[in-house]
Amino acid sequence: MKLEPQIMAIVIGTTDISLIPGISVAGASPELTHYTPALDVEYLLLGMPKTMEVIPVTPEGIPTPALVTRAVAGEVAKLVVNAGSRITPKVPYVDLGGEPGRDFRRGPALSCEAARNILERGRALGCELGRLGCIYIGESIPGGTTTAMAILVAMGYDAWGRTSSASPNNPKELKIAVVKEGLRRVSAPLKPLEAVCEMGDPVHLAVAAIALGVSECGGVPVLAGGTQMAAAAALYKGLGGDLAKLHVATTRWIAEDKSADFMGLMEIVGVKNVYIAGVSFAGSKYEGLRAYERGAVKEGVAMGGALFYALSKGKDVLRLVEAEYERLLSAGVAGNVN
Amino acid sequence: MKLEPQIMAIVIGTTDISLIPGISVAGASPELTHYTPALDVEYLLLGMPKTMEVIPVTPEGIPTPALVTRAVAGEVAKLVVNAGSRITPKVPYVDLGGEPGRDFRRGPALSCEAARNILERGRALGCELGRLGCIYIGESIPGGTTTAMAILVAMGYDAWGRTSSASPNNPKELKIAVVKEGLRRVSAPLKPLEAVCEMGDPVHLAVAAIALGVSECGGVPVLAGGTQMAAAAALYKGLGGDLAKLHVATTRWIAEDKSADFMGLMEIVGVKNVYIAGVSFAGSKYEGLRAYERGAVKEGVAMGGALFYALSKGKDVLRLVEAEYERLLSAGVAGNVN
């Protein structure tokens, strides 16, 4: 099966869970994680971030996976979808009438109205995009591996400690403790939409809704992401989606992450079509890219899907990524590797 | 040249000019014209309006051209772009960071920031869409033939009384008087962006910006609309666009409108590639559709482009439009022809 994307939809949003110190490295500090989705898509579309003068980096200065997506799939049409981000990007984006996710330990993550909007409008958007054929759907939401675990657990899946992390040191105990604290407020298992409203975030629901619309209107949805896509796939399935029509593409770094269980999560959800982009940055001249081989970053902003596509096109991905990183370093917007 | 659309982008927005009694029939009353863009795209995507329980109709009850676009080009992917509408639609839409247009007789129509956002983000969106190939760009903005005349005149084109109308009785004297009153505030000729900020509206600039982006990134922009597209084409040209790469497709009703001068406007702007969809509703069993032959409606919501595309596919367009109208009449959402 040929899975060449007509469009890559990048769904952005924030959850206040990412503000918990130590839970997310998708930003140089907890506060900066809320800027990451906006900066990611500004950079992805324009080649430069706009809201701040630096692309998202981890506290160690390792660059955002958006770098890889832009470098290896620059010619693919991108569509930014804002499911609910505290910082709205300064590029065109599809608005789904959602809202930023709140800290689910204190109360529901999303209002019912926001969740309903995201579901209805994400589905309508997916239906239109699906008319084009194959649609990749990626995400940028710091804290997303924690909310993904929370959604899965709230729906009754045993996902405890099985989602990945952008950090080489997956803070699993912290994430589990946070999810457990949130779960005290509810009586799991919950229905899909309830699980999202209580324990989720805007992004995973939007990814599921778009995928649902794509497949309902004759297109082929490819979830371009890691363990978080288990939560999106579970929602897709729970909302009536046909898993035979759903595809997931991710990176080798996710598939090989021993701190998580990507294949196990795909299995318990029932995802049938999984693709791993086997690429290595071990030979890179840049420390910021070699760090990917040590478990930094791993996924995000459709990187796995972009690599899967680029490899299928026979591209020399490391050369492309290095050239793009060089451009950003020269421009002084790539941060500093500590 | 084959001009098959990958995506139809429908740009919506409002101008307070449409509130002037007698200037626009794109709504059952002046106040309702502000609902027309939202209702048009809700209906176009979902098959039913959401914000109100009726599709847009003229004061005589003649249905919106969105009916035709949906009926004859339902399988084409649609993307709603909100350039600045007082009523935001309850469907997914791309936000360009624009704002609704104000009455240019009292002051500038748009803030500089809104205009800059529309230009930059429309262009960025167009660039992404352009990677897909041929992109149709339509519009829904009541009062748009007046603001189109105003933009053209402000840029130095002799467009006095040459734009069309959704009414069989083009209120040209009123429109000319309104534009003249606005012009007193400025010293024409103005540069493109100044003309829009002072005398324009969000939609024509967004159409031009998207077309610019499409053509800059290798795609083929087709402006799907009537005399208003002369204003969009003039902006496109004034902003550096190559008119050889631009196409305009409209209806026979516009081309044959003796109260306006579609071909003349295309000529003074320098548009080279013009297509007229030669279709007739004279044989329809519905009064609401036969009214199109008497000069009601004429264009809007990419109707001309949709008909041009459908005819090239050999579709029986009148049969399709009648079936869709019948569905809406049965559902009680098509209004009543007076």
Side-chain angles (χ1 to χ4, degrees), chain B residues 209-230:
Chain B
I210 295 168
L212 207 52
V214 168
S215 83
E216 284 167 348
C217 291
V220 178
V222 178
L223 308 188
T227 54
Q228 293 182 215
M229 291 310 180

Short mmCIF file of all heavy atoms in Angstrom, two decimals, chain B residues 209-230:
data_model
loop_
_atom_site.label_atom_id
_atom_site.label_comp_id
_atom_site.label_asym_id
_atom_site.label_seq_id
_atom_site.Cartn_x
_atom_site.Cartn_y
_atom_site.Cartn_z
N ALA B 209 -4.19 37.27 -1.56
CA ALA B 209 -3.03 36.73 -0.84
C ALA B 209 -2.92 35.22 -1.03
O ALA B 209 -1.82 34.69 -1.25
CB ALA B 209 -3.14 37.06 0.65
N ILE B 210 -4.03 34.53 -0.96
CA ILE B 210 -4.00 33.08 -1.16
C ILE B 210 -3.56 32.76 -2.59
O ILE B 210 -2.72 31.89 -2.82
CB ILE B 210 -5.38 32.46 -0.86
CG1 ILE B 210 -5.73 32.63 0.63
CG2 ILE B 210 -5.41 30.97 -1.23
CD1 ILE B 210 -7.18 32.31 0.97
N ALA B 211 -4.11 33.49 -3.56
CA ALA B 211 -3.74 33.27 -4.96
C ALA B 211 -2.24 33.50 -5.16
O ALA B 211 -1.56 32.74 -5.86
CB ALA B 211 -4.55 34.19 -5.87
N LEU B 212 -1.73 34.53 -4.52
CA LEU B 212 -0.31 34.85 -4.60
C LEU B 212 0.52 33.67 -4.07
O LEU B 212 1.47 33.22 -4.71
CB LEU B 212 -0.06 36.10 -3.74
CG LEU B 212 1.08 37.05 -4.04
CD1 LEU B 212 1.06 37.50 -5.49
CD2 LEU B 212 0.96 38.27 -3.12
N GLY B 213 0.14 33.17 -2.90
CA GLY B 213 0.86 32.04 -2.31
C GLY B 213 0.77 30.80 -3.17
O GLY B 213 1.77 30.09 -3.36
N VAL B 214 -0.41 30.53 -3.69
CA VAL B 214 -0.59 29.35 -4.55
C VAL B 214 0.37 29.42 -5.73
O VAL B 214 1.10 28.47 -6.02
CB VAL B 214 -2.04 29.24 -5.05
CG1 VAL B 214 -2.16 28.20 -6.17
CG2 VAL B 214 -2.99 28.87 -3.90
N SER B 215 0.39 30.57 -6.40
CA SER B 215 1.21 30.64 -7.62
C SER B 215 2.69 30.67 -7.27
O SER B 215 3.51 30.12 -7.99
CB SER B 215 0.79 31.82 -8.49
OG SER B 215 1.39 33.01 -8.06
N GLU B 216 3.05 31.28 -6.15
CA GLU B 216 4.47 31.32 -5.75
C GLU B 216 5.01 29.94 -5.42
O GLU B 216 6.21 29.71 -5.50
CB GLU B 216 4.65 32.25 -4.54
CG GLU B 216 4.60 33.73 -4.91
CD GLU B 216 4.46 34.65 -3.69
OE1 GLU B 216 4.17 34.14 -2.58
OE2 GLU B 216 4.64 35.85 -3.85
N CYS B 217 4.13 29.03 -5.00
CA CYS B 217 4.60 27.70 -4.62
C CYS B 217 4.24 26.64 -5.66
O CYS B 217 4.10 25.46 -5.35
CB CYS B 217 4.07 27.34 -3.24
SG CYS B 217 4.85 28.36 -1.96
N GLY B 218 4.08 27.09 -6.90
CA GLY B 218 3.96 26.14 -7.99
C GLY B 218 2.56 25.68 -8.32
O GLY B 218 2.37 24.83 -9.20
N GLY B 219 1.56 26.21 -7.64
CA GLY B 219 0.19 25.81 -7.92
C GLY B 219 -0.47 26.74 -8.93
O GLY B 219 0.13 27.70 -9.41
N VAL B 220 -1.72 26.42 -9.25
CA VAL B 220 -2.48 27.21 -10.22
C VAL B 220 -3.70 27.80 -9.52
O VAL B 220 -4.63 27.08 -9.16
CB VAL B 220 -2.95 26.34 -11.40
CG1 VAL B 220 -3.78 27.17 -12.38
CG2 VAL B 220 -1.76 25.71 -12.10
N PRO B 221 -3.71 29.13 -9.30
CA PRO B 221 -4.86 29.74 -8.64
C PRO B 221 -5.97 30.07 -9.63
O PRO B 221 -5.71 30.67 -10.68
CB PRO B 221 -4.29 31.03 -8.03
CG PRO B 221 -3.10 31.36 -8.87
CD PRO B 221 -2.62 30.09 -9.53
N VAL B 222 -7.18 29.66 -9.29
CA VAL B 222 -8.36 30.00 -10.09
C VAL B 222 -9.31 30.79 -9.20
O VAL B 222 -9.85 30.26 -8.23
CB VAL B 222 -9.07 28.73 -10.61
CG1 VAL B 222 -10.33 29.11 -11.39
CG2 VAL B 222 -8.14 27.89 -11.47
N LEU B 223 -9.50 32.06 -9.51
CA LEU B 223 -10.45 32.86 -8.76
C LEU B 223 -11.84 32.51 -9.26
O LEU B 223 -12.16 32.71 -10.43
CB LEU B 223 -10.18 34.36 -8.95
CG LEU B 223 -8.75 34.83 -8.67
CD1 LEU B 223 -8.68 36.36 -8.71
CD2 LEU B 223 -8.24 34.32 -7.33
N ALA B 224 -12.65 31.95 -8.37
CA ALA B 224 -13.98 31.50 -8.74
C ALA B 224 -14.99 32.55 -8.28
O ALA B 224 -15.48 32.49 -7.16
CB ALA B 224 -14.27 30.13 -8.13
N GLY B 225 -15.26 33.50 -9.16
CA GLY B 225 -16.17 34.57 -8.79
C GLY B 225 -16.34 35.56 -9.93
O GLY B 225 -15.71 35.40 -10.98
N GLY B 226 -17.16 36.59 -9.69
CA GLY B 226 -17.53 37.52 -10.74
C GLY B 226 -16.71 38.80 -10.75
O GLY B 226 -15.48 38.76 -10.63
N THR B 227 -17.41 39.93 -10.84
CA THR B 227 -16.70 41.21 -10.96
C THR B 227 -15.84 41.51 -9.74
O THR B 227 -14.85 42.23 -9.84
CB THR B 227 -17.70 42.37 -11.16
OG1 THR B 227 -18.67 42.35 -10.11
CG2 THR B 227 -18.41 42.25 -12.50
N GLN B 228 -16.20 40.95 -8.57
CA GLN B 228 -15.37 41.16 -7.39
C GLN B 228 -13.95 40.66 -7.61
O GLN B 228 -13.00 41.17 -7.02
CB GLN B 228 -15.96 40.42 -6.18
CG GLN B 228 -17.28 40.96 -5.72
CD GLN B 228 -17.81 40.22 -4.50
OE1 GLN B 228 -18.99 40.05 -4.36
NE2 GLN B 228 -16.93 39.78 -3.62
N MET B 229 -13.82 39.62 -8.45
CA MET B 229 -12.50 39.05 -8.65
C MET B 229 -11.58 39.99 -9.43
O MET B 229 -10.37 39.81 -9.43
CB MET B 229 -12.60 37.68 -9.33
CG MET B 229 -13.22 36.62 -8.41
SD MET B 229 -12.41 36.55 -6.77
CE MET B 229 -13.34 35.23 -5.97
N ALA B 230 -12.17 41.03 -10.05
CA ALA B 230 -11.32 42.06 -10.65
C ALA B 230 -10.55 42.78 -9.55
O ALA B 230 -9.36 43.10 -9.71
CB ALA B 230 -12.17 43.06 -11.44
#
